[in-house]
DNA sequence: ATGGTAGATAGC
DNA sequence: GAATGCTATCTACCAT
């Protein structure tokens, strides 16, 4: 689906609709009247009802668009700015699209085609290519910034009409139609970009990102079922508590919860009782997903705000499968750094936190106390990416409630690096990347080839450690998502959310255990292909809500 | 009125 | 020699 919105004076072919229910009714009407019509739904915000919500978010119109698509109608809810350029969309929506689509925005176009039941064997997406070639560019950055980068890789100026619209969500205004763009501009452009992708060893990650798009679209469309009334009760309770609260820290926390979640039941729960976020697979330097509207990747965990995750539920007859990787960043780092000691911990199936605790306490792993293990956990996560002893004190206090003096923090640091000398060597190696020279850009990359460029003088040691590890983990996870998309569908299930190393699926009750095993196995196998020298462990369980362990 | 940034805090 | 990182969203503040 495209996007949304509001226009003061819509063209005559646009129906003005007042609310979501009316849009669904329109879908029925259109199905009877004109099965091939282009239905353009325009959702108007109610300024009275949503005073703080001038955002005009596209998701508000999505249920209507989905209803239209479900009725087999070519539906588009398009951005106000694009209304004038509706003509280019007509051939696509009327079914003229070629089976091999080269497009600026595969996310949108494939969504439209998929909902019309069209198979698309392959998509070459110039936007995916452009983002990867930009070496760390924001996937949502302005077209005017991306276009010169693409031109640079081409070694020539972009074709005139594509300079503005090439990599944007909006289709190129200068292109007379999708089909024409396919023939005249985008296909040759993709052909020209392909050698650059190969040269920079980006071909594999390009393939991955293109293959991932259908799974992401399906996840966005699925959404997650919410007990909106239970969530509202929680919010009401926070508001009530806020009135008499006196502890400043408690007040701050309540204010944060209320301001962030307070309007979710009203603003984000669709007619079918589900919340749908938007997922951006190419928006971050590391390759992780960005998530917004709302950001379901930062729903408070049980220890922060008990009960919130319990409102995210499996509907009747279905179950959730919640899966995540165990210590994935440590495992990826063990592989990338080639640290024998750290690798061996995982090969032996030992507890990595006990291993560090044992060094610190100078006792065998079996004899470390709970407190020592807790400290070691902070140590392992903190020092892996180059944290200093001073910062570690704050971190251990804030995240683990552990108070240390500077000497203890330094001993902790020493214990970490003497337990895992390969990690120390890796840190030295990365530290040397930006050595004396200082006049050259530095590029780091993930195992599948995603690149992150530090411009001369802007090298960050910590980022250079973190991005390849975080990014490689993200890539293994994305591979799993690609595999799981058809495999779960075969069971009557579907992925509904991903949170960096956590995958949530909704499956039929009677196949829950089967799905659980499938998800766990698929996640382990996919990541295992990326970091073959280290065993990968994923944990998965069946639950009725997101809060259940 | 809109738009951009800083700092705090939620997630991993 | 020293250095966690990647995000989104909220409030407060300052600019146009």
């Amino acid at each position: 689906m495209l996007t949304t919105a509001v226009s003061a004076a819509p063209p005559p072919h646009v129906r003005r609709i007042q609310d979501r229910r009316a849009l669904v009714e329109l879908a029925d009407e259109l199905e009877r009247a004109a099965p091939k019509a282009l239905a353009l739904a325009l959702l108007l915000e109610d300024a009275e009802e949503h005073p703080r919500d001038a955002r005009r978010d596209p998701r508000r119109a999505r249920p209507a668009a989905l209803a239209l698509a479900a009725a087999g109608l070519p539906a588009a809810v398009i951005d106000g700015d694009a209304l004038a350029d509706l003509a280019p969309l007509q051939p696509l929506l009327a079914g003229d699209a070629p089976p091999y689509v080269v497009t600026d925005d595969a996310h949108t176009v494939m969504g439209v085609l998929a909902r019309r039941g069209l198979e698309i064997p392959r998509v070459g997406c110039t936007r995916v290519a452009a983002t990867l070639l930009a070496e760390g560019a924001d996937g949502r950055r302005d077209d005017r910034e991306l276009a010169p980068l693409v031109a640079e890789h081409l070694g020539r100026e972009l074709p005139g009409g594509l300079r503005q619209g090439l990599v944007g969500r909006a289709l190129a205004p200068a292109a007379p139609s999708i089909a024409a763009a396919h023939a005249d501009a985008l296909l040759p452009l993709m052909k020209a970009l392909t050698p650059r992708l190969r040269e920079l060893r980006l071909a594999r990650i390009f393939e991955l990102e293109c293959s991932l798009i259908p799974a992401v679209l399906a996840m966005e469309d699925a959404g997650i079922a919410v007990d909106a009334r239970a969530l509202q009760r929680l919010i009401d309770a926070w508001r009530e508590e806020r009135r008499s609260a006196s502890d400043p820290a408690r007040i701050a926390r309540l204010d944060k919860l209320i301001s962030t979640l307070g309007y979710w039941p009203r603003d984000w729960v669709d007619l079918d009782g589900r919340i749908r976020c938007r997922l951006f697979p190419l928006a971050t330097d590391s390759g992780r997903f960005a998530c917004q509207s709302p950001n379901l990747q930062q729903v408070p965990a049980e220890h922060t705000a008990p009960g919130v995750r319990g409102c995210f539920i499996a509907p009747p007859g279905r179950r959730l499968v919640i899966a995540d990787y165990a210590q994935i960043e440590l495992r990826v780092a063990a592989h990338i750094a080639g640290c024998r000691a750290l690798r061996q911990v995982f090969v032996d199936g030992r507890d990595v936190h006990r291993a560090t605790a044992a060094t610190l306490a100078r006792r065998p792993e079996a004899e470390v106390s709970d407190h020592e293990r807790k400290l070691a956990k902070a140590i392992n996560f903190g020092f892996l990416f180059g944290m200093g002893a001073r910062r570690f004190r704050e971190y251990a206090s804030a995240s683990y409630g552990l108070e240390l003096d500077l000497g203890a923090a330094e001993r902790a640091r020493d214990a970490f690096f003497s337990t895992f000398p390969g990690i120390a060597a890796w840190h030295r190696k990365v530290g040397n990347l930006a050595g004396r020279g200082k006049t050259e850009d530095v590029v780091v990359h993930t195992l599948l080839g995603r690149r992150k460029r530090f411009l001369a003088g802007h090298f960050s040691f910590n980022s250079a450690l973190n991005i390849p590890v975080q990014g490689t983990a993200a890539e293994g996870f994305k591979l799993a998502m690609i595999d799981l998309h058809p495999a779960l569908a075969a069971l009557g299930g579907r992925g509904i959310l991903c949170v960096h190393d956590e995958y949530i699926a909704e499956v039929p009750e009677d196949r829950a255990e089967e799905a659980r095993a499938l998800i766990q196995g698929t996640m382990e196998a996919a990541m295992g292909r990326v970091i073959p020298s280290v065993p990968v462990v994923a944990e998965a369980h069946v639950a009725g809500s997101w809060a259940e362990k």
Side-chain angles (χ1 to χ4, degrees):
Chain A
M1 275 321 112
L2 297 186
T3 42
T4 200
V6 174
S7 166
H13 55 275
V14 174
R15 283 273 299 263
R16 216 177 240 280
I17 302 294
Q18 295 299 336
D19 59 46
R20 287 181 286 187
R21 194 167 298 281
L23 287 170
V24 177
E25 284 164 12
L26 172 67
D28 294 336
E29 184 188 324
L30 282 168
E31 185 178 22
R32 288 191 299 272
K36 277 286 181 186
L38 172 66
L40 234 181
L42 183 65
L43 183 71
L44 295 181
E45 296 298 329
D46 183 339
E48 301 269 324
E49 194 184 339
H50 303 288
R52 60 195 285 281
D53 217 21
R55 283 177 300 193
R56 294 185 278 170
D57 194 279
R59 304 299 298 208
R60 296 178 159 282
R62 176 166 283 233
L66 289 176
L68 293 169
L73 294 169
V77 181
I78 73 170
D79 189 275
D81 295 340
L83 283 176
D85 302 313
L86 186 60
L89 282 170
Q90 299 264 10
L92 173 74
L93 296 168
D96 292 349
Y100 184 103
V101 177
V102 177
T103 170
D104 62 321
D105 185 356
H107 197 277
T108 294
V109 176
M110 286 182 71
V112 173
L113 296 181
R115 285 177 200 102
R116 302 206 63 225
L118 295 173
E119 276 296 316
I120 307 158
R122 269 190 67 171
V123 166
C125 180
T126 52
R127 187 181 175 85
V128 173
T131 306
L132 293 172
L133 288 169
E135 295 173 342
D138 184 340
R140 281 164 296 172
R141 82 157 65 181
D142 194 283
D143 302 348
R144 283 163 299 192
E145 292 175 57
L146 270 180
L149 286 164
V150 174
E152 199 179 310
H153 283 287
L154 280 173
R156 59 178 164 80
E157 283 297 299
L158 290 172
L162 290 176
R163 214 164 300 152
Q164 289 298 318
L166 162 70
V167 287
R169 279 201 170 251
L171 296 162
S177 72
I178 294 267
H182 166 75
D184 298 341
L186 289 173
L187 184 54
L189 182 60
M190 199 61 240
K191 278 184 176 155
L193 288 175
T194 300
R196 283 300 287 158
L197 290 169
R198 290 224 182 83
E199 281 167 42
L200 292 173
R201 301 175 180 278
L202 287 164
R204 194 173 171 197
I205 190 71
F206 174 74
E207 191 72 35
L208 181 155
E209 293 291 354
C210 286
S211 306
L212 178 67
I213 289 167
V216 176
L217 280 164
M219 193 170 267
E220 286 189 331
D221 286 341
I224 182 165
V226 183
D227 184 342
R229 292 172 57 187
L231 182 56
Q232 188 62 57
R233 282 196 296 273
L234 263 181
I235 293 163
D236 292 343
W238 295 334
R239 291 200 170 117
E240 179 61 32
E241 186 188 346
R242 173 67 173 82
R243 276 190 219 110
S244 54
S246 54
D247 175 20
R250 183 62 185 165
I251 287 175
R253 170 153 292 178
L254 287 169
D255 281 346
K256 178 68 176 173
L257 288 170
I258 292 164
S259 63
T260 304
L261 299 171
Y263 291 94
W264 281 29
R266 188 196 74 189
D267 288 351
W268 297 120
V269 180
D270 285 339
L271 287 179
D272 58 0
R274 303 178 75 90
I275 292 185
R276 291 174 172 84
C277 65
R278 306 181 68 193
L279 293 166
F280 296 90
L282 286 161
T284 66
D285 282 356
S286 64
R288 289 204 326 190
F289 282 87
C291 176
Q292 56 175 226
S293 308
N295 186 351
L296 289 178
Q297 292 187 330
Q298 57 181 182
V299 173
E302 284 299 279
H303 58 81
T304 304
V308 178
R309 291 196 173 197
C311 296
F312 293 81
I313 54 173
R318 297 175 74 83
R319 300 282 281 166
L320 301 182
V321 177
I322 302 170
D324 68 334
Y325 287 106
Q327 306 100 30
I328 192 58
E329 292 197 343
L330 284 164
R331 290 174 199 262
V332 170
H335 179 81
I336 286 180
C339 177
R340 290 186 56 187
L342 187 52
R343 239 167 32 198
Q344 198 60 45
V345 169
F346 294 122
V347 168
D348 296 344
R350 281 145 58 208
D351 179 332
V352 66
H353 305 314
R354 282 185 180 280
T356 302
T359 313
L360 191 64
R362 301 174 196 277
R363 279 204 302 278
E365 287 177 24
E367 293 173 25
V368 304
S369 69
D370 286 352
H371 179 269
E372 287 162 341
R373 185 179 179 280
K374 187 174 171 188
L375 175 60
K377 194 173 174 182
I379 290 170
N380 284 338
F381 291 128
F383 292 126
L384 180 63
F385 298 121
M387 193 183 285
R390 283 171 52 178
R391 182 69 186 269
F392 178 74
R393 286 186 63 198
E394 301 169 28
Y395 168 69
S397 172
S399 299
Y400 292 86
L402 300 165
E403 307 301 332
L404 304 154
D405 60 34
L406 193 56
E410 280 164 355
R411 282 195 299 281
R413 194 167 192 273
D414 293 342
F416 176 76
F417 286 116
S418 63
T419 310
F420 306 119
I423 297 295
W426 170 54
H427 282 199
R428 285 193 294 275
K429 194 172 124 197
V430 171
N432 288 334
L433 288 176
R436 294 302 114 199
K438 222 180 197 174
T439 54
E440 300 234 321
D441 293 357
V442 176
V443 176
V444 296
H445 56 88
T446 61
L447 288 184
L448 292 197
R450 181 186 308 274
R451 296 162 65 91
K452 160 66 184 175
R453 176 177 298 267
F454 297 97
L455 297 177
H458 291 83
F459 182 75
S460 160
F461 171 70
N462 307 95
S463 303
L465 291 173
N466 180 276
I467 287 178
V469 172
Q470 199 180 98
T472 298
E475 286 161 357
F477 185 67
K478 284 177 172 179
L479 283 175
M481 288 180 65
I482 292 169
D483 291 346
L484 281 170
H485 179 45
L488 275 173
L491 294 183
R494 54 186 178 172
I496 60 173
L497 191 61
C498 56
V499 191
H500 308 312
D501 68 344
E502 178 180 12
Y503 185 91
I504 307 180
E506 184 187 295
V507 302
E509 197 163 25
D510 57 355
R511 308 194 75 171
E513 173 50 34
E514 195 182 344
R516 193 208 62 76
L518 169 76
I519 290 167
Q520 181 183 337
T522 304
M523 285 174 69
E524 289 177 348
M527 188 72 72
R529 277 180 265 143
V530 182
I531 53 164
S533 77
V534 179
V536 176
V537 173
E539 290 153 357
H541 65 276
V542 177
S545 86
W546 197 1
E548 279 175 37
K549 177 56 203 79

